[in-house]
């Protein structure tokens, strides 16, 4: 399988494009603004765009330490999910009473994203494909049936597929059953979406400064002072959208850890290869394991295949050298061919990693600081492509002191449990990874460590 990786470029496929925009200028002077957004990923871009769409007179500055989309935004699978809770099962476990409201708000968020893409003319290959979750071990068949019953109770149009039906849909010999969600997921080109949002922000007057890391926050008579290497911004309000990277507010580090995720992208499938795997519905697909894979087709029929290995480094390192991990790429190549033996030998053109902001409830969290002048939204745990729109809108509500259906949610008002300090944090995460792998090998049975985490409200999946 490793021969597939011989010529793989060590960079995200999405970012390896000639249409990547030239960098916006660094901030090189002191300035003032009504709102400073720190972070040029999806949360920061949606926050800046929604702020100026709502109030065209609002003076907004967006600061990005690297280039827009260089972080998790340009390194994910492009699954734009309606779920705000990192999937239905996690929502049932953590927010059962308000889950119907969260489902409604999530579907509204997906519609709002599609409308913004159309309104701003963003060419990001948005496809309303839905998602297919597949069982690849016998114990997962029962899990899908249980989840289908819950979806049916909540009025969702999910469809439970037996093995023959799901293999007729997508021709993998590993599939034993499937659960189709036709409405809750769109696929996008994440970098083109981010670049389109950046262009829309610039057209509407947002001042974007790339290669401008924010280095400190401090109170100021005008509100908050944001320091950067070559200039300072004084602003009435600040919205932090720093994802998994070291935050300007130390308190965030108690709740969010950076976990590395990896993906491969193949060359475009030939007509024969495409016919051999079927996949007529072009769903985004994930399997139902604790350590799971996600995969999809691109607009030009490449196959993106990622997930399974989730790597945490002692001290929460986000060193960019971690983006290359040959042992994980080899493992993913092996799993790709096991899933689709029809594609054995297809070249992998790109292999990369990216860092995910994970919290103990696997869904976003919010907070404020400095007397409400600073707000943040972090912790998306890999489903931020869609939920970031909601996260940004809610953070803006918190900054403006608004009482809205979003800010009244217990999901927004409550914080997850914090992670323990190092080195206990690192040790606990490694124990959890081993326990998840063991559960997958033993019929999904959760051993003593996972049952303890479940009892503490820290139940993990991949």
């Amino acid at each position: 399988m490793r021969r597939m990786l011989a010529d793989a470029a060590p960079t995200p496929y999405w970012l390896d494009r000639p249409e990547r925009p030239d960098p916006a200028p660094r901030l090189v002077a002191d300035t003032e603004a009504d709102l400073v957004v720190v972070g040029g990923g999806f949360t920061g871009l949606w926050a800046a765009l929604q702020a100026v769409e709502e109030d065209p007179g609002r003076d907004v500055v967006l600061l990005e330490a690297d280039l827009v989309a260089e972080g998790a935004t340009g390194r994910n699978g492009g699954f734009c999910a309606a779920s705000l809770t990192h999937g239905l099962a996690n929502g049932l476990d953590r927010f059962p009473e308000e889950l119907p409201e969260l489902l409604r708000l999530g579907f509204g968020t997906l519609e709002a994203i599609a409308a913004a893409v159309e309104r701003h003319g963003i060419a990001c290959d948005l496809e309303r494909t839905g998602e297919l979750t597949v069982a690849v071990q016998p114990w997962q068949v029962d899990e899908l049936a249980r989840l289908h019953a819950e979806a049916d109770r909540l009025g969702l149009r999910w469809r439970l597929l037996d093995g023959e039906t799901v293999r007729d849909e997508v021709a993998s010999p590993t599939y034993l059953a499937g659960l189709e969600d036709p409405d809750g997921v769109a696929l996008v080109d994440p970098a083109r979406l981010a670049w389109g949002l950046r262009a829309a922000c610039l057209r509407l007057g947002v001042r974007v400064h790339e290669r401008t890391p924010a280095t400190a926050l401090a109170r100021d008579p005008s509100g908050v002072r944001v320091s950067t290497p070559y200039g300072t911004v004084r602003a009435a309000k600040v919205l932090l959208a720093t994802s998994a990277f070291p935050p300007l507010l130390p308190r965030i580090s108690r709740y969010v850890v950076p976990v590395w995720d990896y993906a491969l992208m193949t060359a475009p499938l030939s007509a024969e290869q495409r016919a051999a795997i079927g996949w007529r519905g072009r769903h985004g697909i994930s399997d139902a394991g604790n350590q799971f894979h996600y995969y999809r087709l691109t607009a030009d029929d490449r196959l993106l295949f990622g997930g399974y290995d989730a790597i945490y480094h002692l001290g929460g390192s986000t060193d960019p050298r971690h983006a290359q991990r040959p042992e994980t790429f080899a493992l993913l190549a092996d799993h790709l061919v096991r899933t689709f033996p029809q594609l054995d030998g297809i070249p992998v053109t790109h292999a990369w990693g990216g860092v995910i902001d994970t919290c103990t409830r696997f869904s976003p969290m919010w907070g404020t600081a400095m007397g409400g002048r600073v707000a943040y939204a972090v912790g998306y745990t890999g489903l931020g492509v869609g939920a970031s729109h909601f996260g940004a809108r809610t953070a803006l509500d918190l900054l403006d002191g608004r009482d809205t259906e979003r800010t009244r949610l217990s999901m927004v008002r409550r914080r997850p449990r914090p992670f323990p300090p190092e080195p206990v944090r690192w040790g606990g995460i490694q124990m959890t990874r081993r326990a998840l792998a063991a559960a997958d090998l033993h019929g999904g049975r959760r051993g003593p460590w996972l049952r303890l985490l479940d009892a503490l409200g820290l139940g993990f999946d991949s």
Side-chain angles (χ1 to χ4, degrees):
M1 312 308 174
R2 296 181 182 183
R3 67 186 185 277
M4 300 165 60
L5 299 163
D7 298 314
T11 188
Y13 165 77
W14 309 117
L15 300 177
D16 191 16
R17 305 284 183 75
E19 68 266 34
R20 186 171 188 168
D22 293 332
R26 290 183 173 91
L27 179 69
V28 292
D30 294 343
T31 189
E32 296 182 354
D34 297 320
L35 171 67
V36 176
V37 177
V38 179
F42 281 130
T43 298
L45 291 165
W46 283 121
L49 183 60
Q50 291 181 84
V52 293
E53 284 187 320
E54 184 179 62
D55 180 0
R58 201 170 193 177
D59 184 14
V60 178
V61 169
L62 187 150
L63 305 176
E64 165 55 40
D66 199 318
L67 300 177
V68 162
E70 180 60 35
T73 290
R75 295 170 180 269
N76 60 78
F79 286 60
C80 186
S83 177
L84 305 176
T85 61
H86 204 272
L88 183 62
N90 194 54
L92 287 165
D93 286 344
R94 301 182 190 282
F95 312 107
E97 294 183 359
E98 64 185 18
L99 187 57
E101 185 176 7
L102 290 168
L103 289 170
R104 177 182 60 81
L105 290 168
F107 281 113
T109 296
L110 188 56
E111 294 299 328
I113 291 171
V117 166
E118 182 175 359
R119 183 168 66 252
H120 294 289
I122 300 174
C124 62
D125 299 325
L126 188 148
E127 295 182 85
R128 300 293 291 267
T129 60
E131 186 175 26
L132 187 63
T133 305
V134 293
V136 296
Q137 294 187 30
W139 68 269
Q140 296 168 11
V141 177
D142 292 337
E143 288 297 308
L144 293 189
R146 181 186 65 82
L147 199 56
H148 176 257
E150 294 287 358
D152 191 60
R153 180 179 63 81
L154 290 163
L156 299 172
R157 299 191 314 122
W158 290 18
R159 188 165 66 112
L160 188 63
L161 310 176
D162 62 23
E164 182 178 356
T165 303
V166 72
R167 290 190 298 273
D168 183 61
E169 181 67 40
V170 184
S172 171
T174 65
Y175 294 173
L176 304 178
L179 185 59
E180 181 190 29
D181 170 8
D183 305 314
V185 172
L187 298 180
V188 298
D189 181 318
R192 285 177 172 158
L193 175 57
W195 297 335
L197 293 174
R198 174 186 183 274
C201 285
L202 289 168
R203 283 195 303 271
L204 294 177
V206 176
R207 292 184 279 157
V208 177
H209 296 286
E210 294 176 281
R211 296 175 175 169
T212 304
T215 56
L217 288 179
R219 292 179 181 270
D220 187 85
S222 61
V224 184
R225 184 173 69 254
V226 183
S227 299
T228 79
Y230 299 113
T232 297
V233 189
R234 287 179 167 81
K237 298 171 182 176
V238 174
L239 193 152
L240 300 179
T242 49
S243 184
F245 293 94
L248 293 174
L249 289 175
R251 71 180 68 171
I252 297 175
S253 297
R254 299 178 60 212
Y255 297 98
V256 176
V257 299
V259 174
W260 286 86
D261 176 64
Y262 296 88
L264 308 177
M265 186 73 85
T266 73
L269 277 60
S270 68
E272 292 77 14
Q273 289 168 327
R274 188 71 177 79
I277 63 173
W279 213 337
R280 296 179 298 276
R282 297 180 61 84
H283 306 83
I285 300 178
S286 62
D287 63 59
N290 291 299
Q291 291 182 287
F292 64 92
H293 307 88
Y294 57 86
Y295 40 107
R296 58 161 293 185
L297 295 170
T298 64
D300 60 349
D301 279 342
R302 296 171 182 266
L303 172 62
L304 180 147
F305 194 89
Y308 195 80
D309 256 355
I311 306 300
Y312 176 76
H313 296 278
L314 182 65
S317 173
T318 56
D319 187 322
R321 289 176 293 184
H322 298 317
Q324 289 297 299
R325 196 167 193 269
E327 59 268 42
T328 294
F329 298 145
L331 183 68
L332 286 174
D334 178 60
H335 291 179
L336 188 162
V337 173
R338 188 182 308 166
T339 304
F340 295 118
Q342 311 94 309
L343 302 183
D344 189 8
I346 189 171
V348 171
T349 62
H350 297 76
W352 71 92
V355 65
I356 292 171
D357 56 335
T358 299
C359 70
T360 57
R361 71 183 188 196
F362 318 114
S363 54
M365 57 164 281
W366 292 263
T368 60
M370 297 189 182
R373 295 171 180 172
V374 176
Y376 53 87
V378 292
Y380 297 96
T381 318
L383 278 191
V385 179
S388 55
H389 183 285
F390 179 84
R393 177 65 269 169
T394 304
L396 288 171
D397 287 350
L398 292 170
L399 271 182
D400 292 339
R402 295 179 180 176
D403 178 23
T404 68
E405 61 180 348
R406 292 174 291 272
T407 60
R408 287 192 292 270
L409 290 167
S410 64
M411 178 186 184
V412 173
R413 292 184 286 106
R414 286 169 27 206
R415 292 185 180 181
R417 289 182 180 272
F419 287 97
E422 295 286 20
V424 176
R425 175 182 296 191
W426 180 85
I429 292 173
Q430 304 316 308
M431 288 179 63
T432 302
R433 291 186 70 237
R434 289 192 291 270
L436 290 170
D440 282 337
L441 288 173
H442 296 94
R445 293 189 295 275
R446 297 173 77 81
W449 177 250
L450 293 181
R451 292 199 301 271
L452 173 62
L453 295 180
D454 291 339
L456 294 174
L458 300 173
F460 277 74
D461 64 15
S462 177

